[in-house]
Amino acid sequence: MQIESDNQVTNQSYSFFRQENTIFEDKKFLEILLKWGLQHSLKVNTFLFDIKFDHLNPNQFLLDLFNSKDVRGSLHYVSFKQNVLLSQIKFQPLTCKSIKLDLFDKLTEDRIVVKGHIKQCFEEQFENIQIADELRKALVMEDCEQYCVFNEADRQELLLRLFQILVLGGQLCQYEDQIQAYLDWTKYLYKNTVNARKYADKDEIYIDSYAYDIKKLENSYNSDHPQNVMYVVVNPSLRIVNIIENQWLKVW
């Protein structure tokens, strides 16, 4: 379900302040991004915000976010018109239920992954992405039988969206034959963008985050390729929001 926001007047207005994050300080993460052709395209920006997040009205939050001077000056793939504020945003709420990697057990159950090895297939192209294994087919090729391994609810899960960025990679991607590296670095990226907490009355963990897939920012941004994505991840108890950006960059 996609939602188109309008510039509703409310009693609160959010302010945002740039905060450094340490996601790209891990040298091994930088090395794997280089291998997968994502070293220049994948960005994560972090901001503090000043008032309580109202998850029942994300429209106001998102409008204030993308109208913030600090945020506008930090994003890489949005062409904002100077001194013109956004009045509409198209977005899709995502889920952040995953606390483990169980979602990817389906790949083994459907034998897309066998003993850790990703099954290969005849090479073809989809939106200029090289498709040479059944994992990539399962992620993006709707007319293939492998696509059915993940249902619609799975595909709205932030964890799977981050996994897809890493698996599809960039134009100069050296793909993995084994699944484990994709799982390990998806876990790393997910862990560093959401907020895991324990329930007060039981010894269980839950994800205290809200995520949104930004589809369109008026004439400033439009998601028109599987690897052209922008995800906003709000961590209310920390008053922190992470903006994850990726673009399919042409290298020649």
Side-chain angles (χ1 to χ4, degrees), residues 16 23 30 51-53 58 69-70 83 99 103 121 133 146 152 156 172 174 184 186-187 210 221 223 237 247 249:
F16 299 89
I23 294 173
L30 294 178
I51 55 178
K52 184 179 179 180
F53 174 67
K69 184 177 179 180
D70 279 0
N83 300 322
I99 56 173
L103 176 62
C121 63
D133 60 50
Q146 292 88 349
E152 192 59 32
Q156 304 313 311
L172 296 179
Q174 300 177 54
D184 289 345
T186 298
K187 179 181 178 180
Y210 296 87
Y221 170 83
S223 178
S237 62
Q247 286 278 296
L249 300 179

Side-chain angles (χ1 to χ4, degrees), residues 41 127-130 168-172 175 225 227-228 246-250:
S41 65
E127 297 283 355
N128 292 319
I129 301 171
Q130 180 185 2
L168 297 182
Q171 283 203 7
L172 296 179
Y175 293 106
H225 186 276
Q227 285 292 74
N228 291 353
N246 189 65
Q247 286 278 296
W248 183 255
L249 300 179
K250 295 181 180 180

Side-chain angles (χ1 to χ4, degrees), residues 1 62 128 204 246:
M1 177 183 67
L62 293 173
N128 292 319
E204 291 183 15
N246 189 65

